[in-house]
Amino acid sequence: AILIGMASSFANHLLFVYPIALNEYEADLIHPIVAIIGFDVIFLVINLIILDLIKFKNLKLKNIFIKQFSNLPLLALILGLTIIFLDIEIPISIDRALDFIANSAAPCALFAAGIILSQKLEKTEIKISNLIILFKIILHPILLILIIWNLDNIDFSLAETTIMVASAPVGLMALIFSTQYGVNPNAITRALMITTIFSIVTVPLASMFG
């Protein structure tokens, strides 16, 4: 249930929306995406602590917190903030290597998802997948638009990128951690693939609200 909730709420903002926004918007409108990514890492850590408490019932809470320092997204966030605040200059060779790794992340994930989708899905998995798709592609954008609509001090033109994140496909974290925690990833993988296809339409539509 926790992993289904992660799939229904976490968007593929880093590999899908963020690159689009970099080419289409000024820095001020990209900041909300960066903030959402940061908060998502924090919520991810909370979810992983809950998952560890459920799976490893004999594991002490102190050890679970220490275990989070092997959480790569959390380490990446800490390292990135350290580089920014200390104004550390990264050597161009390392910078190019990181860019190459980052650009290959999405294709590798979709390739892995394709392998998982080659397996036969049960009816229950299809129903769960459809529920995730409903939340991620339809309910979240509508709910966000209604909230912004009722906030007089926020203009839709300032919330374009935020609406794009709400319209983005299922994030990869739920798929990655489903295999790590021994949960069948079929439903999440199907939702990831279908929402990625739908997002080719929903994300551009979301950007039109400005």
Side-chain angles (χ1 to χ4, degrees):
I2 294 171
L3 287 166
I4 292 171
M6 289 174 62
S8 301
S9 56
F10 288 171
N12 191 355
H13 36 44
L14 187 59
L15 301 177
F16 194 91
V17 177
Y18 185 70
I20 297 174
L22 281 177
N23 293 321
E24 296 293 332
Y25 296 98
E26 298 178 357
D28 290 344
L29 291 179
I30 296 176
H31 291 160
I33 301 178
V34 177
I36 292 170
I37 293 171
F39 277 106
D40 273 1
V41 172
I42 296 172
F43 287 123
L44 173 64
V45 172
I46 295 172
N47 282 321
L48 293 181
I49 291 173
I50 296 172
L51 285 168
D52 284 338
L53 286 171
I54 294 172
K55 184 174 182 180
F56 308 106
K57 295 182 179 180
N58 297 326
L59 194 63
K60 295 181 180 179
L61 187 60
K62 176 184 176 181
N63 295 332
I64 291 176
F65 277 105
I66 294 174
K67 184 174 177 286
Q68 298 312 311
F69 285 98
S70 62
N71 181 347
L72 292 181
L74 177 61
L75 293 177
L77 177 64
I78 295 173
L79 180 60
L81 290 175
T82 303
I83 292 172
I84 291 172
F85 286 120
L86 298 181
D87 196 20
I88 299 173
E89 186 174 349
I90 302 175
I92 189 169
S93 58
I94 296 177
D95 189 44
R96 288 176 177 174
L98 292 175
D99 281 340
F100 177 81
I101 294 171
N103 292 333
S104 64
C108 288
L110 292 175
F111 181 77
I115 295 175
I116 296 174
L117 282 175
S118 64
Q119 305 174 14
K120 183 179 179 181
L121 272 71
E122 302 292 336
K123 288 184 179 180
T124 303
E125 294 171 343
I126 295 175
K127 289 180 180 179
I128 293 173
S129 174
N130 291 338
L131 182 64
I132 295 171
I133 294 168
L134 175 67
F135 272 101
K136 192 67 209 75
I137 292 295
I138 300 176
L139 294 184
H140 281 182
I142 292 175
L143 180 62
L144 178 61
I145 290 170
L146 290 175
I147 291 173
I148 295 173
W149 198 291
N150 287 280
L151 293 176
D152 295 333
N153 58 337
I154 296 182
D155 192 344
F156 272 108
S157 62
L158 300 177
E160 280 185 47
T161 52
T162 306
I163 300 173
M164 287 172 65
V165 173
S167 307
V170 172
L172 300 175
M173 288 302 172
L175 173 60
I176 294 171
F177 288 107
S178 64
T179 55
Q180 182 174 334
Y181 286 90
V183 176
N184 190 327
N186 288 349
I188 296 174
T189 305
R190 179 178 181 271
L192 188 153
M193 293 292 289
I194 293 177
T195 55
T196 299
I197 295 171
F198 284 169
S199 294
I200 297 174
V201 176
T202 58
V203 170
L205 283 176
S207 67
M208 293 171 58
F209 274 91

